[in-house]
Amino acid sequence: MPFARPSRRWLALLAAGAVCAAAFAAAERDVPPGPPPLQDLPDAAAVDDFFAERWAEEQVEPAPPADDLLVLRRLSLALHGTIPSLEEIRAFEADAGPDRLVRWTDRLLADRRFADYWAERLARALVGVHEGNLILFRRDRFKAWLADRLHRDAPWDETVRRMIAGEGMWTAKPEVNFVTAEIENDLLDREALAGRTVRAFLGQRIDCAQCHDHPFAEWSQGDFEGLAAFYGRTAYGLTGVRERTRENGEPKEFAVQDRETLEDRVVAPAVPFAPERLPETFEADSTARRAALAAWVTHPENRRFGRATANRVWGLLFGRAWKEPVDDLPDPEPLEPGEPGDLLDRLAASFVGPGQYRLKGLIRTIAASRAFRLSSAVPGAGEQEYERLTRAGAVFPLTRLRPEQMIGAMTQAGSVRTLDADSPLFVRAIRFFRTVDFVRDYGDPGEDELIREPGTVPQALLRMNGRLPREIAQKQPFGAPARLTWFAGPPPRQIEAAFLCVLSRRPTDEEAAALARYYEPNGDEANYPMEDVYWTLFNAPEFSWNH
């Protein structure tokens, strides 16, 4: 019988199978090199000393250290908004060198995914979540500019000064979108801009002082008006954002309506405290008002700036800020000379200073601390005791994944390879549109992203019956479930690989035995056990938390 030529369909299947086999082998065996050697070790002693004192004072026993693989998962979620791939897990486990977690923190920080993800998270506080007027405000340009600054680890104080004092077109000088974000109905809301400046960079809410003195803090209505006056001469037009001067038009002063006379009252720019931190050359009639405000906000002696930055970074890493709400911190307590202060003061001390203001350095310090590497599990602790341990920083706090973290984790779990900027264009495009649809259906927390909210029934139903988890679990040639089915080996190996892909850990004997039942013959020729395994892991409570 002559040899039959294989059909095109069979050739295509063989080719797809060869590609899948090669990709799976690469993820399993040909792991990429680990991160480069450390240049220096982060000094987390001040943070560790603070918690050692706090635990002793409150007489609490901290949770045990978390497994390194779980710490990698929480690092990946916090820095990239997704879980580590099977490819990354294999590389991590093959790395037996010293200070592995520190080196992998550096690797994650050097990855462009960190800059892109954190630019989105920070942009929510800096310019909000709405696209606004696309002619005068370009959130996408601002976010791209911010991501580039984060990727280069540009000094944060310099980045903030450029946002507050920037001039030019919102396309050519994206930092000015911080100002134009508050343009509504073709009018610049200077009061809203002053309120956002204080919330974003000093971590305090003074918005209520727009109408009356703050009831719980030292902020007065006059303080708010004085800060808003720094934006009084800010104008925008065909040449972009600029300061009005006598050369480009008569300067316009900031004015408010007097409640008694109902007449406009001109307000001079003024700061609510420490006016000596304004530039020496600053005068009320200066044409560089925003530059003076920027210098005052980022002054090395302005403890509010360092504390607010530390608190927000802590919140982005832990899922909840150390002091909540993240933008409503109390006024800092006075410190005696040499007194280290509280946690935020200690973190700020390592962040603020000549040549410092590096967000990556602050992240490295926090990620290397004992508090960040604690387990989230405390056997035998009741709800009240667990909350007490959480407030004391004696356990890693449990918080629900944000919508983009959920979609990032699901999408990455569907691939054995790392999904990043080097992934094929069609893969990145599919992930983008999936993210848009999923976040819309799952719910977006908006600007108040660090406020803890309970999970909802629609969110649970979306994980159970949504289009995305169903597509990822299906037997597609290039998807992780199919590759695990074809190339991971017998069922126990398949289940173990699925746990690593989805939960970043191996199953217990009990879990493996429970999922092995999916592989028992049931008379259904179309039975696809891995689809059931993935569905089960996606809907496990563990998957939707940051632990």
Side-chain angles (χ1 to χ4, degrees):
M1 180 176 179
F3 178 75
R5 177 177 296 180
S7 66
R8 290 184 179 180
R9 180 174 179 272
W10 275 105
L11 289 173
L13 287 173
L14 287 172
V19 171
C20 290
F24 186 79
E28 286 286 283
R29 295 187 295 272
D30 303 329
V31 296
L38 283 173
Q39 299 298 320
D40 65 301
L41 281 170
D43 184 6
V47 179
D48 291 343
D49 289 346
F50 169 81
F51 282 108
E53 297 166 7
R54 186 179 181 92
W55 297 336
E57 180 182 343
E58 299 194 13
Q59 298 181 341
V60 299
E61 183 68 26
D67 180 81
D68 277 7
L69 201 51
L70 289 184
V71 177
L72 178 67
R73 179 185 187 270
R74 70 177 59 150
L75 276 170
S76 183
L77 282 168
L79 299 181
H80 291 175
T82 186
I83 56 177
S85 66
L86 181 62
E87 179 183 34
E88 290 172 314
I89 288 174
R90 297 303 191 199
F92 181 76
E93 293 189 322
D95 183 356
D99 304 307
R100 177 172 64 168
L101 282 173
V102 176
R103 288 185 288 104
W104 277 77
T105 301
D106 289 352
R107 170 173 170 158
L108 295 175
L109 288 171
D111 193 308
R112 181 72 195 196
R113 287 178 293 168
F114 158 72
D116 292 338
Y117 178 62
W118 270 54
E120 170 59 37
R121 297 294 300 271
L122 292 172
R124 289 170 172 265
L126 298 173
V127 295
V129 296
H130 301 294
E131 296 298 334
N133 188 330
L134 292 180
I135 298 177
L136 302 176
F137 169 57
R138 293 294 302 275
R139 189 178 190 275
D140 57 336
R141 293 286 295 126
F142 176 84
K143 197 170 66 171
W145 169 80
L146 184 59
D148 183 64
R149 303 275 303 173
L150 292 171
H151 188 59
R152 294 188 286 110
D153 201 19
W156 183 242
D157 61 331
E158 177 188 317
T159 300
V160 171
R161 286 194 293 272
R162 289 181 61 171
M163 282 188 266
I164 296 175
E167 295 191 354
M169 290 293 294
W170 31 90
T171 49
K173 297 290 185 180
E175 58 266 38
V176 305
N177 285 285
F178 174 76
V179 173
T180 61
E182 295 299 347
I183 293 177
E184 189 70 30
N185 297 324
D186 205 31
L187 294 173
L188 178 61
D189 190 336
R190 291 164 175 82
E191 291 89 346
L193 191 52
R196 185 179 291 276
T197 299
V198 177
R199 289 197 310 274
F201 305 129
L202 303 184
Q204 295 187 294
R205 285 189 173 271
I206 65 168
D207 305 68
C208 66
Q210 182 175 348
C211 302
H212 52 77
D213 292 349
H214 197 294
F216 308 117
E218 297 180 359
W219 300 93
S220 68
Q221 185 176 6
D223 294 333
F224 183 90
E225 293 172 351
L227 287 171
F230 280 95
Y231 293 103
R233 292 182 176 178
T234 304
Y236 57 93
L238 295 177
T239 59
V241 175
R242 68 185 190 281
E243 293 297 288
R244 287 192 180 95
T245 66
R246 299 190 185 283
E247 287 70 29
N248 61 23
E250 189 66 23
K252 183 179 179 180
E253 299 298 340
F254 177 72
V256 297
Q257 188 181 71
D258 189 285
R259 289 186 176 183
E260 296 182 0
T261 66
L262 300 182
E263 295 181 355
D264 286 347
R265 169 172 53 84
V266 173
V267 178
V271 293
F273 58 86
E276 68 277 4
R277 296 175 191 161
L278 288 168
E280 295 181 359
T281 57
F282 174 75
E283 297 179 358
D285 195 41
S286 171
T287 58
R289 291 182 175 182
R290 286 188 293 132
L293 176 62
W296 177 81
V297 166
T298 61
H299 195 282
E301 296 179 10
N302 189 351
R303 289 171 58 203
R304 287 174 172 83
F305 178 62
R307 288 170 57 86
T309 305
N311 196 40
R312 188 172 295 279
V313 170
W314 185 277
L316 293 177
L317 289 174
F318 281 81
R320 58 190 289 181
W322 177 247
K323 295 285 189 180
E324 297 180 303
V326 68
D327 57 1
D328 197 12
L329 295 175
D331 293 336
E333 296 290 338
L335 293 179
E336 297 294 333
E339 184 181 354
D342 63 7
L343 174 63
L344 298 184
D345 279 319
R346 299 185 195 207
L347 287 171
S350 68
F351 172 68
V352 175
Q356 300 293 315
Y357 293 97
R358 307 287 179 171
L359 288 185
K360 288 186 179 181
L362 181 58
I363 292 170
R364 293 178 84 234
T365 297
I366 296 174
S369 68
R370 184 183 176 189
F372 186 81
R373 297 181 181 180
L374 292 176
S375 172
S376 295
V378 183
E383 183 177 347
Q384 291 184 346
E385 175 64 13
Y386 192 88
E387 181 59 28
R388 188 171 80 93
L389 292 172
T390 301
R391 290 196 302 269
V395 63
F396 189 86
L398 281 171
T399 58
R400 294 185 180 276
L401 298 189
R402 290 175 44 79
E404 73 273 6
Q405 289 176 322
M406 181 69 74
I407 173 67
M410 280 189 174
T411 307
Q412 180 57 74
S415 173
V416 297
R417 286 280 195 171
T418 303
L419 299 179
D420 55 17
D422 295 327
S423 300
L425 181 60
F426 78 93
V427 173
R428 286 181 282 145
I430 291 174
R431 182 181 181 185
F432 172 78
F433 289 112
R434 279 176 171 174
T435 300
V436 172
D437 293 340
F438 188 86
V439 170
R440 181 193 63 238
D441 297 337
Y442 200 77
D444 192 329
E447 294 183 38
D448 298 329
E449 56 172 348
L450 289 177
I451 291 181
R452 285 170 284 155
E453 296 181 345
T456 65
V457 172
Q459 289 174 347
L461 292 175
L462 190 62
R463 294 198 306 274
M464 294 174 62
N465 306 313
R467 177 183 176 185
L468 175 64
R470 184 174 65 252
E471 287 181 347
I472 292 175
Q474 287 175 348
K475 198 172 185 178
Q476 302 178 26
F478 297 100
R483 295 183 182 187
L484 299 184
T485 300
W486 294 341
F487 307 114
R493 289 287 308 278
Q494 294 181 29
I495 293 173
E496 178 186 82
F499 262 79
L500 290 173
C501 283
V502 181
L503 298 182
S504 306
R505 68 170 177 87
R506 289 175 171 79
T508 65
D509 292 341
E510 183 180 5
E511 290 169 335
L515 294 183
R517 297 171 186 168
Y518 291 137
Y519 289 84
E520 296 175 357
N522 59 6
D524 184 4
E525 295 183 358
N527 182 41
Y528 178 38
M530 187 52 67
E531 181 173 334
D532 294 328
V533 170
Y534 257 68
W535 185 92
T536 301
L537 296 181
F538 278 158
N539 287 281
E542 179 181 348
F543 178 73
S544 59
W545 294 79
N546 68 341
H547 65 91

